[in-house]
Amino acid sequence: GMRWRSAGITISDKSGNSQKLMLKVRDYGVVDQFPWGIRQIKDTSQGLGWTNGTRWEIDSAENWKAGIGDTRQVFHASECAKWPKTGVKNDKRVMSAVLPSISKGRSVVIAESTPEGATGWMYETWQEAVTLDEFLARRESGADDGVAWIKVFAAWFEFDEHQRRSPVQDHERVEIERSLNEREVALREKGITWEQIAWRRDIMRTECGGSEDTFDEYYPEDDVRCWAVSGRPRFDVEA
């Protein structure tokens, strides 16, 4: 939006979360010290605007008419796995209203979320999406698949802050090593450190009620199990 005059929209699962995201967008504009030569001129509850004509709206999936009309170049769908999946206000209906408004030229759509059950628009779109390597391979081969969703998964252990701040002492390491379960053994084989294992156990105990399934929902390890354990379905989805 700073480089090119753009119209963008952010839609989150709830109105309150949309407002929080708008504050982040506003803050980016305030702290960005690159000399773009433009400035923010509009800051209201409905959106932001800059002197180069870029404008940004916000809405929530609670409004099934969110994003209808207009022509945009940017769409940010936040926590869309948590959008309503039934009734008038459902995720597929909101997406079918917004996506046609995105320009077929230079544009970008980002849909991000923590998982929420193996159902709904986010889950179905994820299953059909391709990895970046697959996308680039198709492009290099000359294949033209048109518009494509590229899936990007981030495991909990990819984040530096997800580890014990203080080093695991030898006596604690011996105790952890003695009590490793199959999942933890597999993580160690992937190169996960003792500090990361200790952090995982701490979070599971303090935030997840000791449940490994709950931990996998909020701190996923892979892009298969995270869908199976989330959403609290009546039947065992993983099985």
Side-chain angles (χ1 to χ4, degrees), residues 178-238:
R178 184 184 298 120
S179 58
L180 288 175
N181 60 32
E182 291 184 9
R183 289 282 302 281
E184 292 171 330
V185 169
L187 286 170
R188 283 291 296 160
E189 291 174 351
K190 289 181 180 180
I192 301 304
T193 67
W194 293 115
E195 285 72 25
Q196 289 174 304
I197 293 292
W199 178 89
R200 180 177 184 270
R201 288 188 173 189
D202 290 343
I203 294 298
M204 201 178 302
R205 183 183 67 257
T206 60
E207 295 184 10
C208 304
S211 169
E212 199 166 57
D213 285 350
T214 302
F215 180 88
D216 287 339
E217 178 177 355
Y218 293 101
Y219 302 96
E221 180 181 323
D222 60 63
D223 64 347
V224 176
R225 184 173 172 79
C226 66
W227 299 106
V229 299
S230 62
R232 293 169 179 78
R234 181 174 298 274
F235 299 103
D236 187 335
V237 178
E238 189 172 18

Side-chain angles (χ1 to χ4, degrees), residues 160-171:
D160 291 338
E161 65 267 27
H162 292 170
Q163 59 182 318
R164 182 83 67 79
R165 290 183 179 274
S166 57
V168 172
Q169 301 301 313
D170 289 343
H171 69 278

Side-chain angles (χ1 to χ4, degrees), residues 122-182:
M122 182 72 174
Y123 174 75
E124 294 174 8
T125 302
W126 179 270
Q127 301 308 312
E128 297 175 357
V130 298
T131 65
L132 180 59
D133 288 340
E134 290 171 337
F135 176 78
L136 294 176
R138 292 181 186 181
R139 173 176 284 184
E140 291 172 3
S141 69
D144 183 8
D145 293 333
V147 177
W149 284 99
I150 299 174
K151 55 184 176 182
V152 180
F153 175 79
W156 68 265
F157 48 77
E158 296 182 55
F159 297 88
D160 291 338
E161 65 267 27
H162 292 170
Q163 59 182 318
R164 182 83 67 79
R165 290 183 179 274
S166 57
V168 172
Q169 301 301 313
D170 289 343
H171 69 278
E172 187 180 8
R173 180 189 59 76
V174 171
E175 179 58 34
I176 294 175
E177 190 170 13
R178 184 184 298 120
S179 58
L180 288 175
N181 60 32
E182 291 184 9

